[in-house]
């Protein structure tokens, strides 16, 4: 089934306006997006950016104002597009009258999974998300964290190829988050495609191959995580011993900007070659070099930068 | 189809969780136990005949006017003494149809027999006129005496009326001082069809035995009507509407619907399955109630009437019309209360409209034109739930009653154009459900 190539999710010119007239909300501007098979894609954005809207359009829960979407080559408007799709909605609410296992079985059956298979899989999954003991209990008594884990389990119960997770770590404690991350990396190893919505940037950074940043309904940045966080001309150096004031002043002459904290130097240079000059200078002053690396931004920094640009651009 | 059973199972779990299915099953058990607690005992023939023949003077009948009906009681001024009651013997030389019946010897007077003829004839004329336009009747000269053949005929008709279809009335033997002796005979081959022939006791004998004034078969039909129309068709549908009205809104809850819509199930099938889920719910309830009562009544009365079982289908019909409203309002408002109230409202309005329309000549005689039009429009478009009670009554009567009692009950029922009644009801449900599907299909969730 999994080919590893081709596009698992495709969004072409999709926009969404809720309601019409003055009271209408432009939740999504025309957006294009392709996500390859086996990729983990993270969609970042503030609350109200339109992340959920995009996922719901992909799942045909919300109808787009313009454009088309498809999953595994099938238009979202076809019921069958959802036959190999798992979805963990944000703020999901399970029917409380069922047990965890009963509910898993219900959703798996709706996805057309055969009886024997779904029994085995739901047992395995409940164990995997740490709910093995709670399987026979009514969902009524579950805590928020348990419901979130159960949500993840139901999204995977029919062994889908494509998985949409909308804020999966919302309301989950740090240990639970780590477990969810583990589940995600496990899924990636199996070659599943994952579409992850989150406003928690470090999460996304840790697991996603590619990231999109959605701001007020516009996809403002999209690319590989490593590319987005790479920052041109930023280096960090660790010296031994600490550079003295005069040395720092000399370095400042060579570079655009320098920040010193103890033995850590952060330099911003105009051309990549300029770093050699800095190294030579330090060495000539008898200061040893213990580490030299290209500095990366955290996703958070990238994100804030993008948002700032947008806000400035507007005003 | 698999999806249907998955969704149905889910709905049933939901209703079990709410204890509502239990309430309905409990209600059914109450009805079944009630049926089991009834017992009938036939009366001694001599007692029965003595009572009936001493009451020939009183004529009771029902006259309907508009929505209501009156029980009328008339005296026709006839008195007779019963000289003896005994089984017919071959020596009596009576016709074949009463050969296995009873012979009742009466002693009366000529003036009483004249009174009988006069009273009986005027009663029949009254019936033919349906009691209307009394004043326009021109006074006719009424004779005071009639020939013995008329006595014979009137007495035969009077005894046959509502009582014994097979009657033989012998020649009047005029004796001294105005006295007349008449030998009569009646066939009682179907004891169950004779009014007043049975004693009934309720609650396993806790409520004492009492002679009922209907025949056993009519009592059974009345019982079936109460069970199918009141227990099932009213209380049952009302509770089932309450239960099933929550199915759609609970599925549409924010956060719950997403989980279902993300599955490969179309929205229209999803809603239709939910609708059928409600119908299956009433089917389960109806089968339990009607099936259980059928067995209980069968055991207690010996009537195993398959038509009674058909009323499960009639129950589902009525529910299907109303549940369509509930489902659509549920989609529109996402509120259980709203869905329930509107469907009950439609039920109430449609029943009133049907009643008013049927009796418009009497009840709407002096209403303004727009009221008449409104009632007519409502009657035409809304489902005709009350007709289903008529349908049940017709089915039960046809299966169980003797022709005389059947005719009597049919006279009480409104005349229904079944093609129109069921056709418009189905059309209503289909249109309402289609609206619901369209709304559900179009919406963003
Ligand atoms: N059903 C809806 N009707 C009207 N407006 C909506 C609806 N759903 C979302 N919105 C609006 O669309 C915008 C995007 O919402 P959403 O996609 O939920 O954002 P996010 O998931 O990124 O927080 C918000 O302004 C929100 O208020
Ligand atoms: Mg969201």
């Amino acid at each position: 089934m999994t080919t590893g190539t081709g596009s698992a999710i495709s969004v072409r010119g999709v926009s969404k306006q809720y309601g019409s007239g003055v009271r209408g909300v432009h939740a999504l501007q025309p957006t294009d997006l392709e996500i390859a098979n086996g990729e983990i894609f993270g969609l970042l954005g503030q609350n109200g950016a339109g992340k959920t809207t995009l996922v719901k359009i992909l799942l045909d829960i919300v109808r787009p104002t313009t454009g088309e979407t498809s999953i595994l080559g099938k238009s979202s408007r076809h019921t069958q597009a959802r036959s190999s799709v798992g979805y963990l909605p944000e703020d999901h609410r399970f029917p409380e009258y069922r047990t965890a296992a009963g509910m898993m079985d219900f959703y798996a059956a709706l996805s057309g999974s055969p009886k024997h298979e779904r029994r085995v899989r739901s047992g395995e999954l409940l164990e995997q998300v740490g709910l093995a003991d709670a399987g026979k209990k009514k969902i009524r008594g579950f805590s928020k964290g348990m419901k979130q884990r159960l949500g993840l389990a139901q999204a995977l119960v029919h062994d889908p190829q494509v998985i949409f997770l909308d804020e999966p770590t919302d309301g989950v404690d740090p240990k639970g988050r780590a477990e969810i991350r583990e589940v995600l990396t496990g899924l990636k190893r199996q070659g599943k495609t994952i579409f992850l919505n989150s406003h928690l940037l470090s999460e996304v950074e840790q697991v996603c191959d590619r990231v999109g940043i959605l701001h007020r309904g516009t996809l403002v940045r999209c690319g590989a995580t490593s590319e987005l966080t790479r920052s041109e001309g930023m280096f960090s150096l660790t010296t031994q011993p600490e550079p003295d004031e005069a040395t720092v002043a000399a370095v400042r002459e060579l570079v655009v900007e320098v920040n010193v904290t103890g033995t850590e130097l952060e330099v911003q240079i105009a051309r990549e070659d300029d770093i050699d000059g800095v190294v030579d200078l330090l060495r000539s002053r008898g200061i040893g070099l213990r580490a030299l690396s290209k500095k990366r931004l955290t996703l958070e920094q990238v994100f804030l930068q993008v948002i700032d640009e947008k806000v400035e651009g507007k005003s | 189809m698999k999806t249907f059973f998955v969704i149905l199972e889910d709905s049933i779990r939901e209703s079990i969780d709410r204890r509502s299915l239990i309430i309905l099953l409990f209600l059914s058990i109450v009805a079944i136990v009630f049926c089991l607690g009834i017992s009938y005992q036939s009366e001694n023939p001599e007692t029965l005949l003595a009572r009936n023949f001493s009451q020939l003077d009183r004529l009771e009948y029902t006259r309907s006017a508009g929505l209501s009906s009156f029980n009328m009681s008339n005296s026709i001024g006839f008195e007779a003494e019963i000289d003896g009651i005994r089984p017919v013997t071959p020596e009596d030389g009576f016709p074949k149809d009463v050969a296995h019946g009873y012979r009742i010897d009466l002693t009366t007077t000529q003036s009483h027999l004249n009174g009988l003829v006069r009273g009986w004839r005027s009663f029949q004329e009254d019936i033919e006129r349906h009691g209307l336009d009394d004043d326009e009747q021109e006074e006719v000269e009424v004779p005071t005496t009639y020939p013995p053949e008329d006595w014979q005929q009137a007495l035969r008709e009077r005894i046959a009326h509502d009582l014994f279809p097979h009657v033989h009335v012998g020649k009047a033997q005029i004796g001294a001082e105005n006295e007349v002796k008449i030998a009569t005979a009646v066939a009682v081959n179907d004891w169950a069809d004779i009014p007043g022939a049975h004693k009934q006791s309720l609650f396993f004998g806790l409520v004492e035995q009492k002679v009922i004034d209907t025949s056993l078969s009519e009592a059974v039909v009345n019982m079936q009507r109460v069970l199918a129309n009141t227990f099932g068709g009213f209380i049952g549908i009302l509770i089932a509407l309450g239960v099933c009205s929550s199915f759609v809104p609970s599925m549409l809850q924010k956060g719950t619907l997403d989980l279902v819509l993300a599955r490969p199930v179309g929205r229209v099938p999803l809603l239709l399955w939910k609708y059928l889920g409600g119908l299956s719910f009433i089917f389960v309830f109806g089968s339990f109630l009607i099936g259980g009562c059928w067995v209980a009544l069968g055991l207690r009365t010996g009537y195993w009437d398959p038509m009674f079982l058909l009323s499960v289908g009639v129950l589902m019909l009525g529910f299907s019309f109303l549940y369509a409203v509930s489902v659509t309002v549920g989609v529109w408002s996402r509120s259980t209360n709203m869905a329930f109230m509107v469907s009950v409202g439609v039920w109430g309005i449609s029943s009133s409209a049907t009643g008013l329309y049927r009796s418009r000549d009497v009840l709407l005689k002096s209403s303004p034109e727009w009221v008449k039009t409104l009632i007519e429009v409502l009657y035409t478009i809304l489902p005709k739930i009350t007709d289903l009670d008529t349908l049940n009554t017709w089915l039960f009567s046809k299966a169980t009653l003797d022709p005389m009692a059947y005719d009597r009950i049919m006279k009480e029922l409104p005349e229904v154009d079944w093609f129109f009644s069921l056709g418009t009801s189905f059309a209503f449900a289909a249109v309402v459900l289609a609206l619901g599907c369209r709304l559900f299909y179009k919406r963003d969730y």
Side-chain angles (χ1 to χ4, degrees), chain B residues 151-273:
Chain B
W151 298 342
Q152 227 175 326
Q153 193 197 352
L155 187 57
R156 184 164 53 239
E157 287 176 5
R158 171 62 194 101
I159 296 172
H161 176 73
D162 287 356
L163 285 175
F164 304 98
H166 301 290
V167 189
H168 167 76
V169 174
K171 277 226 159 66
Q173 315 212 316
I174 303 169
E177 290 184 33
N178 207 14
E179 192 184 82
V180 183
K181 283 189 181 295
I182 300 181
T184 64
V186 293
V188 284
N189 33 18
D190 213 343
W191 208 238
D193 292 334
I194 298 170
H198 290 82
K199 290 183 191 157
Q200 181 189 49
S201 78
L202 301 175
F203 304 112
F204 302 96
L206 275 181
V207 173
E208 265 190 47
Q209 291 212 325
K210 220 178 79 186
V211 176
I212 46 169
D213 53 11
T214 60
S215 65
L216 175 61
S217 52
E218 220 176 323
V220 169
V221 167
N222 285 340
M223 193 68 205
Q224 290 173 333
R225 287 171 71 178
V226 169
L227 289 168
N229 295 343
T230 311
F231 256 77
F234 184 70
I235 303 175
I237 287 189
L238 197 65
I239 297 181
L241 268 183
V243 174
C244 298
S245 284
S246 75
F247 287 175
V248 167
S250 102
M251 175 181 79
L252 294 185
Q253 273 180 40
K254 221 173 168 40
T256 307
L257 182 64
D258 300 49
L259 291 164
V260 175
L261 288 188
R263 304 284 162 184
V265 183
R267 290 192 193 188
V268 172
L270 187 62
L271 195 67
L272 292 180
W273 291 149

Side-chain angles (χ1 to χ4, degrees), chain A residues 56-171:
Chain A
K56 284 189 171 178
I57 288 174
L58 276 158
L59 292 168
D60 199 37
I61 296 171
V62 163
R63 273 48 189 277
T65 307
T66 65
E68 278 175 11
T69 58
S70 63
I71 300 174
L72 296 171
K74 287 184 197 119
S75 163
S76 294
R77 298 308 302 270
H78 287 219
T79 317
Q80 285 315 309
R82 278 167 273 141
S83 54
S84 198
V85 169
Y87 176 43
L88 168 65
E90 62 176 345
D91 305 323
H92 52 265
R93 191 149 129 191
F94 295 117
E96 301 208 310
Y97 47 86
R98 303 204 76 144
T99 63
M103 191 225 53
M104 293 276 279
D105 191 69
F106 171 60
Y107 290 122
L110 283 186
S111 283
S113 166
K115 199 168 185 87
H116 172 71
E117 206 169 286
R118 59 188 200 241
R119 188 161 300 161
V120 173
R121 267 194 73 82
S122 87
E124 283 173 5
L125 276 164
L126 285 175
E127 187 157 344
Q128 209 177 334
V129 298
L131 290 175
D133 300 333
K136 292 228 161 22
K137 289 194 188 124
K138 288 249 167 97
I139 296 173
R140 190 164 283 140
F142 279 27
S143 71
K144 170 95 171 108
M146 286 165 91
K147 284 182 187 163
Q148 198 68 20
R149 289 152 186 248
L150 185 59
L152 187 60
Q154 68 76 32
L156 304 177
V157 68
H158 52 300
D159 197 16
Q161 281 303 308
V162 180
I163 299 145
F164 293 90
L165 304 172
D166 202 347
E167 315 276 6
T169 54
D170 212 21

Side-chain angles (χ1 to χ4, degrees), chain B residues 237 240-241 244 278-279 282 314-324:
Chain B
I237 287 189
L241 268 183
C244 298
L279 295 197
I282 196 91
V314 178
L315 189 65
M316 286 176 72
L317 269 187
F319 185 74
S320 71
F321 303 150
L322 294 171
Y323 192 48

Side-chain angles (χ1 to χ4, degrees), chain A residues 109-110 112-115 118, chain B residues 1-8 273:
Chain A
L110 283 186
S113 166
K115 199 168 185 87
R118 59 188 200 241
Chain B
M1 204 57 204
K2 232 188 238 161
T3 322
F4 167 62
F5 286 111
V6 172
I7 291 172
L8 176 63
W273 291 149

Side-chain angles (χ1 to χ4, degrees), chain B residues 374-437:
Chain B
L374 178 70
I375 295 297
E376 184 162 358
V377 168
L378 286 176
Y379 168 76
T380 309
I381 59 174
L382 291 178
K384 285 132 201 82
I385 316 281
T386 38
D387 283 355
L388 296 175
D389 290 355
T390 308
L391 180 59
N392 270 335
T393 306
W394 176 70
L395 284 174
F396 305 157
S397 306
K398 185 95 188 149
T400 301
L401 294 184
D402 61 294
M404 223 155 56
Y406 173 78
D407 284 343
R408 197 162 58 240
I409 287 208
M410 282 304 107
K411 256 181 230 147
E412 288 173 25
L413 295 179
E415 263 181 47
V416 178
D417 174 354
W418 289 109
F419 186 73
F420 177 77
S421 172
L422 291 178
T424 49
S425 301
F426 273 117
F428 173 84
V431 167
V432 167
L433 207 54
L435 272 177
C437 287

